Amino acid sequence: MDGNRVLVTGGAGFIGSNLANHLAADNDVIALDNGFLGTPENLDDAVEYVEADVLDDDLPTNVDVVYHLAALSSRQMLEENPREGARVNIEGFVNVVEQAHDDGCDTIVYASTSSAYGSRTEPSPEDMELEAATGYDASMLGRERYAEYYNNFYDALSCAGMRFFSVYQGYGGNEAHKGEYANTVSQFTEKIANGESPVLWGDGTQTRDFTHVDDIVRGLVTTAEHDVAGVYNLGTGEAYSFNEMVELINDALGTNVEPEYEPIPLENYVHDTCADISKIEEATGWEPQISFEEGVERVVEPYRDD
């Protein structure tokens, strides 16, 4: 990824802005965003910001690589507006890919989801049978089916779907604007640093494969460089409980804030996640470099400076 023209949709959002800023050091990068879930304040001056919607005509898809990260990206958003969620997550994907292909771009890397694996303590491989337990799952799996079609129908086109696992960076990075949609690591650190008890659902034993955004960015870049197709997990292969996470945050901050617990309010709540990352390792050589302990240290660092 050097000397290319790159489009990042959802480019002012959390993951998108980190990717755009990273790529802008050696590439001509356009960050496209409608401002609903992103803010141009996340972007470096070297990134060209275009305010537009992925459902629009005449998108700036005359590029070498498209990273399609734009989405309504939570279960709650799809439950509140299922039709809009389907339009943005599926029709928006089709619209971007069609325009990119028409403009001669044959490398598409897009965001999917790991939530469709459901609750599993064992590492989840990409080829396991999935179930759309939520509208969000259904919309992102819809992307994957369309990508499968495109990979089969257009000989030169490569669509690679990335199933992200619990991506975090912290409010000192580009995550603060997400608020209640930010990763729990970032939300809980903000609360504990301010002497507030984080609220954990259930007994706090639920686990997540927490993955630092820097590792995600490297995975996205490596995937495009290898021009692979199909679906890939981006995670660490290790899972930590929420109780363990709170303990690590307290240790890093030198605090002793106890969490509060409340009943799990959702049906089909995903209690445990963990990625099997062997497929992406074999295809590209990518592997995570930031342990969760180091990641927590990075999240809390800005609070030490206050």
Side-chain angles (χ1 to χ4, degrees):
M1 293 297 293
D2 188 355
N4 290 293
R5 185 167 172 81
V6 181
L7 172 64
V8 182
T9 72
F14 166 42
I15 298 176
S17 62
N18 274 280
L19 175 64
N21 292 339
H22 173 81
L23 290 174
D26 300 304
N27 301 274
D28 180 11
V29 180
I30 304 166
L32 183 146
D33 205 291
N34 67 1
F36 177 61
L37 293 175
T39 172
E41 295 177 0
N42 282 339
L43 297 168
D44 293 343
D45 291 340
V47 178
E48 178 185 352
Y49 176 65
V50 174
E51 185 170 346
D53 194 284
V54 293
L55 294 165
D56 291 345
D57 296 327
D58 299 321
L59 296 174
T61 49
N62 185 18
V63 296
D64 300 300
V65 179
V66 170
Y67 287 101
H68 182 62
L69 306 185
L72 292 186
S73 54
S74 78
R75 170 179 179 165
Q76 180 180 339
M77 292 176 191
L78 270 291
E79 289 176 348
E80 291 173 351
N81 199 335
R83 292 180 181 178
E84 182 67 11
R87 289 190 69 228
V88 171
N89 290 1
I90 300 177
E91 186 180 342
F93 172 73
V94 171
N95 188 45
V96 169
V97 174
E98 290 285 351
Q99 291 190 47
H101 182 261
D102 288 345
D103 284 336
C105 176
D106 291 323
T107 301
I108 313 287
V109 181
Y110 68 94
S112 184
T113 182
S114 63
S115 66
Y117 289 123
S119 185
R120 285 172 51 87
T121 55
E122 294 297 315
S124 299
E126 292 87 346
D127 60 358
M128 67 173 284
E129 187 172 340
L130 302 180
E131 178 180 341
T134 68
Y136 174 62
D137 295 347
S139 70
M140 300 306 265
L141 291 178
R143 280 188 177 187
E144 292 187 6
R145 297 289 78 78
Y146 267 100
E148 182 180 19
Y149 154 68
Y150 285 126
N151 283 327
N152 291 330
F153 189 74
Y154 294 121
D155 291 338
L157 184 65
S158 296
C159 291
M162 315 311 291
R163 293 176 179 166
F164 302 134
F165 280 75
S166 296
V167 187
Y168 70 96
Q169 183 181 31
Y171 286 176
N174 287 5
E175 206 174 354
H177 73 281
K178 293 188 69 175
E180 65 177 309
Y181 297 112
N183 192 279
T184 50
V185 180
S186 308
Q187 293 189 56
F188 291 178
T189 300
E190 174 75 7
K191 285 185 174 295
I192 291 171
N194 288 289
E196 302 175 28
S197 294
V199 177
L200 278 59
W201 290 351
D203 59 5
T205 59
Q206 65 266 64
T207 61
R208 295 290 181 270
D209 187 336
F210 295 108
T211 312
H212 195 276
V213 72
D214 286 0
D215 278 333
I216 295 293
V217 166
R218 286 192 310 100
L220 289 167
V221 172
T222 301
T223 298
E225 288 175 336
H226 284 77
D227 199 29
V228 296
V231 179
Y232 299 86
N233 290 334
L234 282 184
T236 70
E238 298 183 1
Y240 288 76
S241 73
F242 280 23
N243 287 327
E244 291 172 321
M245 180 236 295
V246 169
E247 183 178 353
L248 284 171
I249 295 169
N250 272 313
D251 288 346
L253 287 171
T255 53
N256 188 29
V257 178
E258 293 293 329
E260 297 178 1
Y261 298 91
E262 64 180 32
I264 298 173
L266 299 175
E267 294 183 10
N268 300 325
Y269 177 64
V270 175
H271 195 274
D272 303 286
T273 69
C274 187
D276 180 336
I277 55 175
S278 57
K279 183 179 178 182
I280 188 72
E281 287 179 325
E282 293 170 4
T284 71
W286 175 89
E287 58 184 20
Q289 295 181 349
I290 302 171
S291 69
F292 189 46
E293 289 81 2
E294 178 185 345
V296 170
E297 288 288 336
R298 294 189 183 193
V299 173
V300 306
E301 186 62 33
Y303 299 94
R304 295 194 181 115
D305 295 336
D306 291 344

